[in-house]
Amino acid sequence: MAMKPEDDRIRELYRQARDEAPPAHLDHAILETARKATARRARAVSPFSGRWQVPAALAAVLVVAVLLVPLLEHEPVDSELQVPAPVVLEEPRPAAAPPPERRIPDKTEEEAPPAAQGLMDKRMPEKLMAPEQAVRQERMLRLIAPLAKPKAVARSKKRAADSRAEKHTDPGGNAAVGNLMSGLRGDTVEPPQQWLETISALLEAGEEARAGEELQAFLVQYPDYRLPPALLELQQRTRH
Amino acid sequence: MQPGSAYALPGMGQDSSDEALMLRFRAGDADAFEVLYRRHKGPLYRYMRRQCGQDALVDELFQDVWTKLIQARERYRPTASFKTYLYHIARNRLVDHYRRQGAAPATQDAAETRLPARASDQPEQHAQTGQQVQQLLVLLEGLPAEQREAFLLREEAGLALADIASITGVGQETAKSRLRYALQRLREGLKEWL
């Protein structure tokens, strides 16, 4: 648009009139409104809200899973599966060995809550464990202690302590027979066939008294199990 | 001084255009809004004040415009210049005000009663320029609303004819005519001093 010289003069005059501005309180109010609006938005747009909520949750689950899976893989699911094979007995235990004490649960253990009692009964004979396994079982016992009767827990702890002390004083295996017998008397119920083989081995080794005791304990556990002829004879002799 | 070039915050970087500032404000940067506000508050205030004609009302309308801008920031898209966007909001607010009040913008009839005495009637000549400015403002107030609006959008906002046409919702030729007639009237009113 073509401008005349007079128009320039008009514009110049108008520029001299451009001195009005909003009052300061209006400036303050408007700027405050803007600051409040942005502050509200900053609160609303947190890292875990809006469109990031679902991805953040998924990422958190993934991280937890990645961290936990290796730990679970290293944690033994059932320590009984890791029991080392029993050593072959060279030296038989004397006949005066203590009688089986745990085949028939005592009154204290029977009174324990079923869940805790189950855990107590499933624990491994410490003498058959590697040291780290014994430590792990002891930790487990501490965990279930509030649920079990104090007497049973104390006995388990004592057995664990005895086991460690015996390993220090008799690492050569002089107590191997005792260990095996303790294992047999332990809380773990052996499969019947394996148990009978052990009794037969005792019988063949001349430990008839021990074999008889074990057979009686076996019959308490498996009263209807069909015995082999040799053990039937032992049963007859034991009765007499 | 052209809006958009004066106010900037330290460390603001290369792009401190109105549009970039508005986008930053949309993203939550209140400082960017402050720069925008300081750039445009004066021209916008005068644009509204000279159209409204009521001093008591202009503050309220002015605040409403900025509040609307703040509230609508999420919808802002830099498809047009920020100034066009801002003056669109301001014009709509004024039109809405006139509609509610059932009143037209200040007209020539109202302004003519307030015309100052001509310079030749004044005993002193040293305040001639001040009188010319005052005379110009009175003449401006007496212009038809469309012409005054076109003049103010040109002089205050520094908008081009195309933007004036866009804001006022008319063709570019119409906007050009309005601006030409406005200047013609002002020339006639000030011919003694030009």
Side-chain angles (χ1 to χ4, degrees):
Chain A
M1 195 177 81
M3 300 288 288
K4 295 182 178 180
E6 296 92 340
D7 294 344
D8 289 338
R9 175 65 180 152
I10 289 171
R11 296 180 72 181
E12 186 184 338
L13 282 175
Y14 183 75
R15 276 195 287 274
Q16 293 181 36
R18 292 171 55 179
D19 56 355
E20 295 153 298
H25 72 86
L26 210 52
D27 292 346
H28 179 76
I30 291 167
L31 293 175
E32 189 62 26
T33 303
R35 293 200 183 280
K36 283 180 181 173
T38 51
R40 274 198 304 273
R41 186 182 188 277
R43 280 196 301 272
V45 185
S46 72
F48 299 107
S49 69
R51 61 180 178 168
W52 292 106
Q53 195 167 16
V54 172
L58 288 175
V61 169
L62 194 63
V63 167
V64 170
V66 166
L67 291 176
L68 282 183
V69 164
L71 292 177
L72 291 174
E73 282 177 352
H74 287 93
E75 192 70 20
V77 177
D78 187 353
S79 56
E80 288 183 359
L81 297 176
Q82 298 181 2
V83 176
V87 292
V88 177
L89 301 180
E90 296 285 344
E91 189 175 336
R93 188 87 172 173
E101 60 183 30
R102 307 209 37 237
R103 182 68 59 207
I104 302 171
D106 63 20
K107 193 169 184 296
T108 306
E109 286 173 313
E110 283 173 357
E111 288 172 354
Q117 195 62 56
L119 287 171
M120 295 291 289
D121 289 342
K122 282 183 178 176
R123 68 188 184 274
M124 186 192 315
E126 292 86 356
K127 292 172 184 178
L128 297 179
M129 295 180 198
E132 61 272 17
Q133 287 176 308
V135 171
R136 199 177 300 135
Q137 176 164 305
E138 193 173 22
R139 194 172 59 210
M140 181 62 73
L141 289 174
R142 280 200 300 272
L143 288 174
I144 65 170
L147 300 173
K149 287 291 178 184
K151 187 176 173 184
V153 174
R155 192 163 52 230
S156 299
K157 285 183 176 176
K158 182 175 183 300
R159 193 181 302 115
D162 290 344
S163 169
R164 282 195 295 275
E166 201 167 299
K167 278 186 172 131
H168 282 295
T169 57
D170 188 17
N174 287 335
V177 175
N179 286 355
L180 177 61
M181 296 310 295
S182 176
L184 288 173
R185 289 192 307 270
D187 300 317
T188 314
V189 178
E190 276 192 85
Q193 192 56 42
Q194 187 180 342
W195 198 348
L196 289 177
E197 285 173 6
T198 307
I199 295 171
S200 298
L202 284 171
L203 194 58
E204 287 172 10
E207 292 283 343
E208 187 170 332
R210 296 291 309 278
E213 290 171 1
E214 285 298 321
L215 184 58
Q216 285 181 357
F218 176 86
L219 291 172
V220 170
Q221 192 71 32
Y222 303 106
D224 300 326
Y225 200 86
R226 188 174 178 182
L227 297 175
L231 295 185
L232 276 175
E233 290 175 10
L234 177 63
Q235 184 187 18
Q236 296 295 331
R237 286 198 300 275
T238 307
R239 280 182 185 168
H240 294 130
Chain B
M1 183 176 64
Q2 285 297 312
S5 61
Y7 294 99
L9 288 178
M12 205 147 215
Q14 293 291 325
D15 192 0
S16 60
S17 66
D18 291 344
E19 293 74 27
L21 289 170
M22 187 60 193
L23 289 174
R24 287 177 58 174
F25 173 55
R26 191 181 73 177
D29 186 350
D31 292 339
F33 176 84
E34 185 170 352
V35 176
L36 270 179
Y37 177 75
R38 296 201 184 284
R39 276 182 191 173
H40 296 285
K41 66 172 185 174
L44 184 71
Y45 186 77
R46 290 187 291 273
Y47 165 79
M48 299 190 76
R49 191 168 192 272
R50 284 171 188 152
Q51 299 228 75
C52 180
Q54 303 175 48
D55 289 349
L57 192 62
V58 67
D59 287 2
E60 181 188 334
L61 296 180
F62 178 77
Q63 187 169 3
D64 283 353
V65 170
W66 288 102
T67 303
K68 280 183 183 295
L69 181 77
I70 291 167
Q71 290 170 346
R73 66 192 183 282
E74 301 286 352
R75 297 190 297 275
Y76 173 75
R77 299 288 180 273
T79 52
S81 77
F82 171 77
K83 259 190 301 193
T84 306
Y85 180 69
L86 178 65
Y87 281 85
H88 253 301
I89 296 176
R91 185 178 189 272
N92 288 343
R93 184 67 188 94
L94 284 169
V95 169
D96 185 50
H97 165 70
Y98 295 143
R99 193 177 292 141
R100 285 184 189 174
Q101 299 296 316
T107 61
Q108 190 174 10
D109 294 339
E112 277 179 346
T113 60
R114 286 178 282 166
L115 278 173
R118 296 294 171 96
S120 57
D121 300 334
Q122 301 285 339
E124 300 88 8
Q125 298 293 317
H126 66 274
Q128 188 176 358
T129 302
Q131 290 174 354
Q132 289 173 357
V133 170
Q134 190 64 30
Q135 178 79 6
L136 174 63
L137 291 179
V138 172
L139 290 171
L140 184 63
E141 192 177 346
L143 287 178
E146 296 83 5
Q147 294 176 20
R148 182 174 61 235
E149 182 179 49
F151 179 84
L152 290 172
L153 287 173
R154 177 76 168 208
E155 294 303 319
E156 289 291 357
L159 292 173
L161 279 175
D163 293 328
I164 296 171
S166 166
I167 290 172
T168 55
V170 297
Q172 196 167 327
E173 284 302 315
T174 304
K176 186 176 176 181
S177 296
R178 288 176 178 177
L179 188 58
R180 189 171 59 240
Y181 284 126
L183 287 169
Q184 185 179 337
R185 283 183 179 243
L186 294 175
R187 275 198 309 270
E188 289 171 0
L190 295 169
K191 65 183 175 186
E192 288 184 40
W193 292 305
L194 295 177

